[in-house]
Amino acid sequence: MEKTKKSLIEEEPFDKFSAESWLKSDLPDFEGTVIERGDDNYEKECYQYASSSYLEEGIIQPAYIIKAKNESDVIKAINYASDKKIAVAIRTGGHQYSGASSTNGNNIQLDLSQTYKDFTWDNEDCTSVTIGISFSLGEFNAKLREKNRFVPHGQCQSVNVGGHVQTGGYGQLARSFGLLADHVEKFRIITADGQARWVVRNFSQDKDLFFAVLGGSPGNFGVLTHITLKVFRDQDYPNSRGLRAVYPYNRQCVKALLDIMVEMTDENFPADYDYTITVLSEPKLHPGLETYDTKYDTKDAPRVYWPPVIIVFAQWANLEGDRQVYDPNFIGKIKQAGGDGQIQVDDDIYTPMSTLTGDWTFPIEREFKLPYVKRVYMSNSSAQRLKDYEWTDWVSGRIDNGNIWDSPDPMVQLTFDLSLSVQIQCYGGLNSRYFQNGKKNLTSFSWRDTNIVCVLDAFYNDAEYDRVREWQQENDKGVGNSDAPFCEYDRRVLWGSHDLDLSANQQYYYDQNPEEKYEKLCKVKQTYDPSGVFTPNRFCIGLPPADSEVDSEMQSKTKKAIEKEVLATKPKERPQLSAKERFWEVVNMKREPGGLIPLWDTWGTSFYNFQRLHDYFTH
């Protein structure tokens, strides 16, 4: 494998910077906003989803943040970086788990969150659309729904399209329709030479760049500006059904729901069904305690709240149209396993697919206003192997171990409970479109034979740092060896990374379908970005491995002291209630302006409904 460049990262360790000599020099005249390291508003503008989790590493500290107003700003930034031999990190939504949509040192961050917001239907039938990459999924979903149209996409409505499509577009419709990226017909990209080009699916001249951009490493080959997508019509799925239900947390309930999911991995299971389970622990209310996230993450103004809860999403997509008759047995099993809860979307009646895609989007950007240690595990284990290794019992036990779910003691909450966000979804079976679309090999997304994806995220305060590390290290034993209960291989996705050194861990992110996939991606990188303009951190294609193995979560980390204000500030007292009792207390709580909003009250079918609800409860 060839080196692509003698990069800034090789010349100077990426956790250090010495930009003072040029910070006030010869920046171009940008029409958009320029924020310099050291400015009063720098921390707020620099903040992104991973910030508080990687503060000590210093990897989210660009020298400049350029909030591009238009394409002229984008090209000026690329040319400037090329001239100065520095790198550009590209940010649309800024949700990458390990901070790879940012940078540090002398490098700059190009913020495209508002730059490309044009939306054009390409035909009268509204089955093709060209959009700018700066739309959030919530905004994009709402625009499609105006025409009763939909595409598969993720569940976080604040994620932006640009990063989402380059990392696949994993979401609730994966079994029935595949990934969002599977439906890209062409995209527009500005490469390191400052030139814009359209790259077309199945066009021989573009096939390598199409392959690399969709699945290689986001933002590593150029600035994606627009995508053209194939769009689906509600009328072609006239009997679609969905279930969204919330249940009080209970380990046995989690296991029973997962047992049903395991049965879906049978190779003959129909592609019409999608099924996801989310488990959330209760937010800790610390009056007066300000965290880094509460200070700088200002998007989630509503006071959203929930008890310890299991949330179930299931759908039947009616892929064969009006020839199919709905069979409620599968979703009926889910309802029976869930037990006594609250059903908000019911499969008893037809719900259009464009409505369901709105029902599946998560209404808040950040589950807990705390740093995290995240894991995404993928498994190609068969249903029989998962049963033999008792995976559902093992993983439900790991979830239960992460929190004292019924503890009434505020100090136990503070020092032992982790704030858990768990999501487990079925992708597999031979009929799955996730699997079938992957066989075409037009993109470089890996592990398309995956049956189940398991996300185990733990948010923590400083007092819990040792605990969160121990918990996730034990979870890591679920993959990576022949006796691991979930999968004998460690298989990861770009959006769920938990380290920054992509080259050192390439075997976890890239399969060999086709052979020598990673080497092919490096050659594409060398062709389109030979000087490394789009190599702002170690989560990039083509860099040589670091000199020594580094666990990025431990890099420069020491045991954190328990902050005095944390110990001095007790969480809000709560009655000594079980998780089930807390659930029904929140379900029945009185809704008042300025008060807490139950999570499911925000979970409507419209992004704009959420905004109106926010306005009502906060004014």
Side-chain angles (χ1 to χ4, degrees):
M1 180 183 69
E2 298 180 4
K3 276 189 187 182
T4 60
K5 63 174 279 190
K6 178 69 175 175
S7 69
L8 174 72
I9 292 172
E10 294 170 69
E11 295 164 0
E12 187 173 346
F14 67 86
D15 58 340
K16 298 179 182 179
F17 46 79
S18 55
E20 290 80 1
S21 60
W22 61 277
L23 276 178
K24 298 183 182 298
S25 57
D26 52 351
L27 264 185
D29 185 16
F30 292 102
E31 293 183 53
T33 305
V34 178
I35 299 97
E36 179 181 339
R37 188 190 295 132
D39 285 352
D40 289 343
N41 62 338
Y42 176 81
E43 289 294 337
K44 181 179 181 297
E45 297 293 346
C46 183
Y47 178 88
Q48 61 183 54
Y49 189 72
S51 288
S52 64
S53 304
Y54 292 90
L55 282 176
E56 294 191 16
E57 283 84 345
I59 60 175
I60 305 175
Q61 288 286 306
Y64 282 112
I65 301 165
I66 299 167
K67 303 185 78 169
K69 182 178 181 180
N70 50 38
E71 189 155 290
S72 175
D73 282 351
V74 173
I75 294 172
K76 286 176 185 177
I78 293 172
N79 292 338
Y80 177 77
S82 181
D83 290 344
K84 294 295 183 181
K85 294 182 170 51
I86 59 174
V88 175
I90 303 166
R91 169 183 179 169
T92 51
H95 282 75
Q96 209 277 339
Y97 271 16
S98 54
S101 50
S102 190
T103 186
N104 59 9
N106 292 345
N107 300 327
I108 60 179
Q109 182 182 74
L110 189 57
D111 186 324
L112 305 180
S113 58
Q114 301 297 321
T115 311
Y116 295 103
K117 281 210 162 182
D118 37 326
F119 184 102
T120 304
W121 291 108
D122 299 322
N123 56 14
E124 291 185 4
D125 199 27
C126 296
T127 54
S128 176
V129 67
T130 297
I131 66 164
I133 51 81
S134 302
F135 282 100
S136 71
L137 294 187
E139 294 169 327
F140 177 45
N141 181 277
K143 280 194 165 289
L144 292 182
R145 202 163 52 249
E146 290 172 1
K147 298 287 187 180
N148 300 313
R149 300 297 188 264
F150 69 96
V151 293
H153 60 67
Q155 290 183 270
C156 180
Q157 69 176 20
S158 59
V159 166
N160 283 30
V161 169
H164 188 55
V165 73
Q166 290 179 80
T167 52
Y170 287 73
Q172 170 67 6
L173 278 63
R175 285 194 80 256
S176 50
F177 291 91
L179 300 179
L180 174 64
D182 293 339
H183 306 289
V184 173
E185 296 298 323
K186 61 182 179 178
F187 58 77
R188 183 174 181 273
I189 190 170
I190 304 173
T191 46
D193 58 5
Q195 300 300 307
R197 68 192 77 198
W198 280 98
V199 180
V200 182
R201 175 185 288 266
N202 288 324
F203 184 53
S204 59
Q205 183 177 338
D206 296 334
K207 65 179 182 179
D208 286 346
L209 190 56
F210 192 93
F211 174 84
V213 169
L214 297 180
S217 180
N220 205 192
F221 299 92
V223 177
L224 191 71
T225 69
H226 297 80
I227 58 174
T228 297
L229 287 161
K230 176 185 177 182
V231 174
F232 298 93
R233 309 184 305 174
D234 282 346
Q235 67 196 67
D236 296 325
Y237 311 91
N239 199 27
S240 56
R241 308 296 176 105
L243 171 74
R244 191 183 74 218
V246 292
Y247 302 103
Y249 171 80
N250 176 278
R251 176 185 173 179
Q252 287 69 38
C253 181
V254 172
K255 182 185 183 310
L257 291 166
L258 289 174
D259 285 337
I260 295 170
M261 185 178 292
V262 167
E263 297 296 336
M264 290 181 71
T265 64
D266 181 275
E267 61 183 27
N268 296 316
F269 201 87
D272 302 79
Y273 293 94
D274 287 277
Y275 178 31
T276 301
I277 300 166
T278 295
V279 180
L280 291 172
S281 60
E282 186 173 14
K284 303 171 188 177
L285 299 182
H286 298 172
L289 178 61
E290 183 178 68
T291 68
Y292 190 88
D293 297 290
T294 57
K295 184 174 182 180
Y296 295 113
D297 182 9
T298 59
K299 293 181 181 178
D300 289 336
R303 301 177 63 204
V304 180
Y305 191 67
W306 56 89
V309 69
I310 305 166
I311 308 167
V312 168
F313 310 86
Q315 87 197 2
W316 182 73
N318 184 206
L319 294 178
E320 296 176 29
D322 57 12
R323 293 176 296 170
Q324 281 180 297
V325 176
Y326 176 58
D327 182 349
N329 285 336
F330 176 71
I331 291 183
K333 289 181 182 179
I334 296 172
K335 289 179 174 178
Q336 184 176 4
D340 192 14
Q342 186 181 62
I343 294 177
Q344 299 151 346
V345 178
D346 202 327
D347 67 315
D348 286 347
I349 59 172
Y350 160 71
T351 305
M353 289 299 300
S354 65
T355 300
L356 289 175
T357 56
D359 288 332
W360 305 151
T361 54
F362 202 76
I364 56 175
E365 180 177 35
R366 190 181 192 88
E367 302 95 314
F368 306 97
K369 301 281 191 175
L370 294 165
Y372 53 72
V373 177
K374 286 177 173 270
R375 291 289 187 270
V376 178
Y377 306 102
M378 307 179 77
S379 174
N380 67 338
S381 295
S382 66
Q384 191 58 54
R385 186 187 188 280
L386 292 170
K387 292 175 185 177
D388 290 345
Y389 282 83
E390 300 179 337
W391 171 70
T392 62
D393 189 64
W394 180 85
V395 73
S396 61
R398 294 305 307 148
I399 295 168
D400 205 59
N401 178 264
N403 193 281
I404 306 299
W405 296 88
D406 287 330
S407 172
D409 183 347
M411 291 311 293
V412 172
Q413 293 178 50
L414 183 63
T415 59
F416 190 79
D417 278 14
L418 303 177
S419 295
L420 300 189
S421 176
V422 175
Q423 189 164 69
I424 304 175
Q425 180 176 352
C426 183
Y427 283 73
L430 293 182
N431 295 317
S432 164
R433 299 292 172 83
Y434 174 80
F435 172 72
Q436 292 292 338
N437 292 347
K439 291 166 65 176
K440 299 173 185 177
N441 271 345
L442 298 178
T443 62
S444 50
F445 298 106
S446 294
W447 316 124
R448 296 297 287 258
D449 62 339
T450 292
N451 282 326
I452 294 178
V453 175
C454 177
V455 181
L456 297 176
D457 296 344
F459 296 72
Y460 62 95
N461 62 47
D462 287 349
E464 300 162 335
Y465 180 67
D466 288 342
R467 162 106 167 107
V468 74
R469 288 285 301 166
E470 290 169 3
W471 187 73
Q472 290 288 26
Q473 286 171 352
E474 190 64 29
N475 296 341
D476 288 340
K477 296 177 182 178
V479 301
N481 63 77
S482 59
D483 294 324
F486 192 41
C487 188
E488 59 183 308
Y489 303 106
D490 185 347
R491 300 148 59 103
R492 307 177 190 174
V493 286
L494 296 173
W495 55 267
S497 60
H498 57 265
D499 54 66
L500 261 185
D501 200 336
L502 183 60
S503 55
N505 296 282
Q506 60 185 265
Q507 71 272 25
Y508 306 132
Y509 293 99
Y510 300 102
D511 59 22
Q512 291 299 306
N513 185 23
E515 289 291 327
E516 298 185 340
K517 176 186 284 186
Y518 185 77
E519 290 74 12
K520 179 179 178 179
L521 291 168
C522 290
K523 290 178 182 177
V524 177
K525 170 72 169 175
Q526 181 67 31
T527 299
Y528 290 96
D529 186 22
S531 61
V533 171
F534 299 109
T535 307
N537 49 56
R538 292 214 60 88
F539 203 70
C540 292
I541 291 289
L543 283 173
D547 293 336
S548 60
E549 284 192 25
V550 177
D551 177 352
S552 66
E553 289 170 358
M554 293 300 291
Q555 182 187 31
S556 76
K557 286 261 190 191
T558 57
K559 183 177 179 180
K560 294 186 175 183
I562 299 175
E563 297 180 2
K564 291 182 179 178
E565 62 265 33
V566 175
L567 284 178
T569 308
K570 285 189 176 183
K572 185 177 180 180
E573 297 286 350
R574 68 181 184 186
Q576 296 189 23
L577 302 176
S578 67
K580 182 176 182 179
E581 290 169 327
R582 288 288 299 127
F583 174 82
W584 290 111
E585 181 184 59
V586 176
V587 166
N588 297 318
M589 67 187 287
K590 186 177 180 181
R591 279 63 161 165
E592 295 179 347
L596 295 174
I597 308 172
L599 175 65
W600 41 83
D601 279 10
T602 72
W603 216 318
T605 59
S606 169
F607 174 78
Y608 299 105
N609 284 345
F610 177 59
Q611 298 301 308
R612 287 195 294 270
L613 187 69
H614 162 227
D615 293 342
Y616 170 74
F617 275 97
T618 55
H619 294 295

